[in-house]
Amino acid sequence: MTFIKSIEKAVDVLSCFTLENPLLRVVEISHLTGLNQSTVSRILSTLAKKQCIEQIVPSGKYRLGIKFHQWSAVLRHKTNLPDLARPVMEKLRDSCGEEVTLYGLDENRRICLEAVKSHFDLAKVTPVGKILPLHCGAAGKVLLAYLTPSERKKFISSKGLEKFTPETIVNPEELEMHLEKIRQDGYAVSQGEREKGAYSIVAPIFNQNKKIAASLSVSGPIFRLSETALKKNIEAVQHAANEISVLLSKSNLNHRQNS
Amino acid sequence: MTFIKSIEKAVDVLSCFTLENPLLRVVEISHLTGLNQSTVSRILSTLAKKQCIEQIVPSGKYRLGIKFHQWSAVLRHKTNLPDLARPVMEKLRDSCGEEVTLYGLDENRRICLEAVKSHFDLAKVTPVGKILPLHCGAAGKVLLAYLTPSERKKFISSKGLEKFTPETIVNPEELEMHLEKIRQDGYAVSQGEREKGAYSIVAPIFNQNKKIAASLSVSGPIFRLSETALKKNIEAVQHAANEISVLLSKSNLNHRQNS
DNA sequence: ATAATTATTGCACGATATGAAATAACCATT
DNA sequence: AATGGTTATTTCATATCGTGCAATAATTAT
């Protein structure tokens, strides 16, 4: 299989535009991607010509362009995972009170695809579109756990595992043991692995081919996690995740062939 | 200036994914873009590797992938035109009762960037993300009218002007006259040019450099357009469009330099 | 006004994207 | 299940095209 390198580079350039960094200049992108400045400049010109990005005139910085409004609408429109999952997620939030989030795999990160806010004032709040690491936090570990061993190895060996908190697992073997445990249990619980004081309870969502499609998380401040809440929430998250898996299978089976 | 052709092709491929056609196969894209099947296949493989698209396994069709969730979130997040315009659009809708829509230029089409629903049960309803022609409907003609003559010429000469209804202008000279009139008036009114029985009243939105940024439209069924409603709505649309122009200028001036 | 950083362009080289044809995979029909 | 037809992918040779370097131009900072 042969891939078109300049297209990969263009995607890498566009991937630099994030919630945290929605406005970028040529050099910044050059640093972030490791691409030559000339190359970045030419890629940006091309993307600007095609209206994928636009230049803000006083500053000269670039941001995503009108083309993405089209794609954004397409994404929101059809049977896609977030829309499918939202009602189930709201039910889950109502039963456990805490924030419910949905994560998908994005290169070797995870991205928050959907978030339903907690009823508490003091709570975990994750914006949709936020990109987070895979190796820490139960939602990341669940995504990792159900990859094929080769896919997983590619990630874990790719670069060092960054330490976010004292609880972050940075040892590959230790991480693999955790993942094995997750596969046995069918869920994951983490406490303060990425952000101090926060817990998550997470279960996997599978597509019709039993491949991992997303992870569903309930998360909040650790001090609200009683022994009974833990048990109840594990049960509830697993149930909700299964429900979404079923919806997803049905939805995908619908657009067979010429439909 | 030198553009990277394979990237342009990739964008063309992705542009095939629309509200009407969210699921596509290689041949379909090949026909839509005029690209060789091998090329399309390779572009799709590359985009799939980068998770810009994903293949639905039972059917083999492709759809937009998880990467677009990231970009979609970035788009929604920062000071972008639709979010800026929405409150003003809602006010306008409340004052005139009819659907209010916002259109931007997308290659040589227009795309609905934002829509606020009419209060009436029988009304015009335009989905966000819908792609429509430029040469018919007041919202398209306003976008055309304020392009530079060379930009405009590029579009009008590009290919024949499709006739949607008996009212559609298909003669380039006649169209130019209409556009001149629009520039003099500062607004446009159309009746049944694209869809029979529908009218639109549209005013231009400019950015801080006085370039056309979007067009703002009030539209509904012609039978509700009395002489007084027409006058009132023209006034209201122009006022709202100006308001949005001001907001847009302010917003763009904010992210100067290193902010 | 000057220096420093950043963006763009020309050029020549080497990588690489391309179409045509072949092969493989897939689907529909009987 | 088997066949024929459509669609997807891969191979291969060729010329195109994207690339980095260095120079220039444009911006920004001091």
Side-chain angles (χ1 to χ4, degrees):
Chain A
M1 190 161 295
T2 168
F3 300 110
I4 298 167
K5 307 210 173 160
S6 49
I7 295 177
E8 295 192 48
K9 289 175 192 170
V11 177
D12 289 340
V13 165
L14 288 171
S15 296
C16 295
F17 293 86
T18 60
L19 284 182
E20 290 79 19
N21 265 332
L23 302 173
L24 294 169
R25 285 171 302 147
V26 177
V27 255
E28 296 176 293
I29 297 172
S30 173
H31 292 145
L32 287 166
T33 56
L35 293 171
N36 190 297
Q37 279 198 32
S38 325
T39 303
V40 172
S41 177
R42 280 185 277 245
I43 290 174
L44 289 176
S45 303
T46 307
L47 292 172
K49 180 190 177 194
K50 298 304 262 179
Q51 294 180 288
C52 294
I53 55 172
E54 57 192 29
Q55 207 168 13
I56 301 171
V57 177
S59 67
K61 292 194 174 186
Y62 290 92
R63 69 172 161 201
L64 295 186
I66 199 164
K67 261 279 138 69
F68 283 95
H69 284 288
Q70 174 187 335
W71 293 321
S72 178
V74 176
L75 210 58
R76 224 172 307 174
H77 184 243
K78 264 273 163 174
T79 54
N80 68 79
L81 184 50
D83 284 356
L84 224 61
R86 186 183 295 123
V88 180
M89 292 171 70
E90 283 171 350
K91 219 166 48 180
L92 177 58
R93 186 267 322 268
D94 291 341
S95 97
C96 63
E98 299 288 1
E99 181 191 50
V100 173
T101 42
L102 182 73
Y103 289 93
L105 209 57
D106 182 7
E107 310 230 29
N108 47 17
R109 304 277 176 79
R110 59 182 152 121
I111 178 171
C112 177
L113 297 176
E114 187 63 277
V116 174
K117 285 205 175 60
S118 165
H119 284 322
F120 292 102
D121 286 341
L122 174 63
K124 199 145 160 293
V125 180
T126 310
V128 171
K130 180 126 182 180
I131 293 171
L132 293 167
L134 279 179
H135 70 286
C136 57
K141 293 195 295 183
V142 165
L143 288 172
L144 266 184
Y146 292 93
L147 289 178
T148 65
S150 70
E151 291 171 324
R152 189 161 59 242
K153 224 136 270 166
K154 212 171 56 193
F155 165 72
I156 296 182
S157 63
S158 70
K159 43 192 165 184
L161 304 174
E162 192 185 346
K163 198 167 188 75
F164 287 83
T165 70
E167 304 305 315
T168 307
I169 305 164
V170 293
N171 180 297
E173 285 85 45
E174 197 186 336
L175 182 57
E176 278 290 4
M177 280 172 52
H178 272 243
L179 302 182
E180 176 57 34
K181 175 80 163 40
I182 291 171
R183 283 189 294 271
Q184 283 170 12
D185 295 342
Y187 67 86
V189 180
S190 63
Q191 300 204 3
E193 286 186 7
R194 197 184 55 78
E195 195 158 305
K196 216 182 145 193
Y199 78 87
S200 294
I201 302 172
V202 180
I205 292 169
F206 300 101
N207 67 14
Q208 73 276 17
N209 309 310
K210 307 293 168 208
K211 277 216 67 169
I212 181 83
S215 65
L216 183 69
S217 164
V218 167
S219 43
I222 293 178
F223 65 79
R224 270 205 298 270
L225 187 67
S226 68
E227 195 58 40
T228 33
L230 176 67
K231 274 200 187 132
K232 188 182 138 241
N233 288 353
I234 288 173
E235 188 88 2
V237 173
Q238 285 192 297
H239 183 79
N242 287 337
E243 216 173 314
I244 296 170
S245 295
V246 171
L247 286 174
L248 184 60
S249 296
K250 279 190 195 159
S251 139
N252 279 340
L253 290 175
N254 280 344
H255 28 241
R256 284 188 145 280
Q257 287 138 225
N258 295 325
S259 74
Chain B
M1 191 161 294
T2 168
F3 300 109
I4 298 166
K5 306 209 170 160
S6 49
I7 294 177
E8 295 192 46
K9 288 176 191 171
V11 177
D12 289 340
V13 165
L14 288 171
S15 295
C16 294
F17 293 86
T18 60
L19 284 183
E20 291 79 20
N21 265 332
L23 303 173
L24 293 169
R25 285 172 302 146
V26 176
V27 255
E28 296 176 294
I29 296 171
S30 172
H31 291 146
L32 286 166
T33 56
L35 294 170
N36 190 297
Q37 278 198 32
S38 328
T39 303
V40 173
S41 177
R42 279 184 281 245
I43 290 173
L44 289 175
S45 303
T46 307
L47 292 172
K49 180 190 176 194
K50 297 305 261 182
Q51 294 180 288
C52 293
I53 56 172
E54 57 192 27
Q55 208 169 11
I56 301 170
V57 178
S59 67
K61 292 194 175 186
Y62 290 92
R63 69 172 159 202
L64 295 184
I66 199 163
K67 261 280 139 68
F68 283 95
H69 285 288
Q70 174 188 334
W71 293 321
S72 177
V74 176
L75 211 56
R76 224 172 308 174
H77 184 243
K78 265 275 164 175
T79 54
N80 68 77
L81 184 51
D83 284 356
L84 225 60
R86 188 183 294 121
V88 180
M89 291 172 70
E90 283 169 351
K91 219 166 48 181
L92 177 59
R93 185 267 323 268
D94 291 342
S95 98
C96 63
E98 299 289 0
E99 181 192 51
V100 173
T101 43
L102 182 73
Y103 289 92
L105 210 57
D106 182 8
E107 311 230 28
N108 46 17
R109 304 277 176 77
R110 61 181 152 123
I111 178 170
C112 176
L113 298 175
E114 187 63 277
V116 175
K117 284 204 176 60
S118 166
H119 284 321
F120 292 102
D121 285 342
L122 174 63
K124 198 142 162 297
V125 181
T126 310
V128 172
K130 179 125 181 180
I131 293 172
L132 293 167
L134 280 179
H135 70 286
C136 58
K141 293 196 294 183
V142 165
L143 288 173
L144 266 184
Y146 291 93
L147 289 178
T148 65
S150 70
E151 291 170 326
R152 189 161 58 242
K153 225 134 268 167
K154 211 171 57 192
F155 165 72
I156 296 182
S157 62
S158 70
K159 44 192 165 186
L161 306 172
E162 191 184 347
K163 197 165 189 74
F164 287 84
T165 70
E167 304 305 315
T168 307
I169 306 164
V170 292
N171 180 297
E173 283 85 46
E174 197 186 338
L175 182 57
E176 279 289 4
M177 281 172 51
H178 272 244
L179 301 183
E180 177 57 35
K181 175 82 163 39
I182 292 170
R183 282 189 294 270
Q184 283 170 11
D185 295 343
Y187 65 86
V189 180
S190 64
Q191 301 204 3
E193 286 187 9
R194 198 184 55 77
E195 194 158 304
K196 217 184 144 193
Y199 78 87
S200 295
I201 302 171
V202 179
I205 292 169
F206 300 101
N207 66 16
Q208 72 276 17
N209 309 311
K210 308 293 168 208
K211 277 217 65 168
I212 180 84
S215 64
L216 183 69
S217 164
V218 168
S219 44
I222 293 178
F223 66 79
R224 269 206 298 268
L225 187 65
S226 68
E227 196 58 40
T228 33
L230 175 67
K231 275 201 189 133
K232 189 181 137 238
N233 287 353
I234 288 174
E235 188 89 1
V237 173
Q238 286 192 296
H239 183 80
N242 286 337
E243 217 174 314
I244 296 170
S245 295
V246 172
L247 287 173
L248 184 60
S249 296
K250 279 190 194 160
S251 138
N252 279 341
L253 291 175
N254 280 344
H255 27 241
R256 283 189 147 280
Q257 286 138 226
N258 295 323
S259 74

